[in-house]
Amino acid sequence: MKKLILAALATALLPASALAQDAGAIGGAFVGGQIGWGKRSVDLDFGLPGVEDFDKSRSGIDYGVFAGYDYGVGQNFLVGVEAGLGFGGKTLRDTPIAGLTAEIDPKWNYDVSARAGFLATPNLLVYGRVGYGAEKTRVSTVSTITGVDSTSEKGWSDGLLYGGGLEYGLNESASIRTEYRHRDMDGGYAADQVLAGLAFRF
């Protein structure tokens, strides 16, 4: 009986952060999925007289999968690495001049990033993220102008990814998270996302 009470006292007196690390509610290897709101935007200034800028944005549903590893530093801090694969985004379309329509059609994307955060409560992580993100797109022009052909080409737009969020450990095997992230890519192309995810830890 005494041993049982002492064990209970020891558990109760442990720092909350130590409990979170021992339980492994947030930490170690993980895989998961996420879904949420995504916006693609483009801002191209052609700098030509009589040619309108390509300045459009559209929102829709983004979704994807991710995997990574988190490592505890001290009692209250965590650092990790993560890679993700995503889909979503609606076609951006504009008419710079009469008779010529330009389109950017997002296909899929990937990212590699590092994150760091602190435990606000035993199971709640507040974190920031920074890394690299790229998206494959099809860029097309549709022409009704005599002598100007329509074109279509697939390519990549890439650049800096950054954001932040909250993650809550449900138990030793699962956690939920919500996160905002921004990808600032080349060619005046950008993506903003607000995602909710579920991670399974092992």
Side-chain angles (χ1 to χ4, degrees), residues 45-136:
D45 183 358
F46 298 106
L48 297 172
V51 178
E52 298 289 335
D53 296 345
F54 192 167
D55 185 5
K56 293 292 182 180
S57 65
R58 293 187 71 188
S59 301
I61 301 297
D62 279 16
Y63 57 96
V65 294
F66 56 86
Y69 189 89
D70 289 327
Y71 180 77
V73 178
Q75 292 186 333
N76 296 311
F77 296 93
L78 179 145
V79 295
V81 293
E82 182 177 313
L85 179 66
F87 304 89
K90 293 185 176 181
T91 300
L92 302 175
R93 184 179 294 108
D94 203 359
T95 304
I97 59 174
L100 184 67
T101 300
E103 297 181 349
I104 300 175
D105 183 16
K107 295 301 182 182
W108 62 279
N109 60 80
Y110 71 90
D111 58 79
V112 180
S113 61
R115 71 173 186 167
F118 66 93
L119 290 167
T121 71
N123 284 15
L124 180 63
L125 177 72
V126 181
Y127 65 90
R129 179 188 306 281
V130 65
Y132 168 84
E135 185 157 88
K136 188 153 194 182

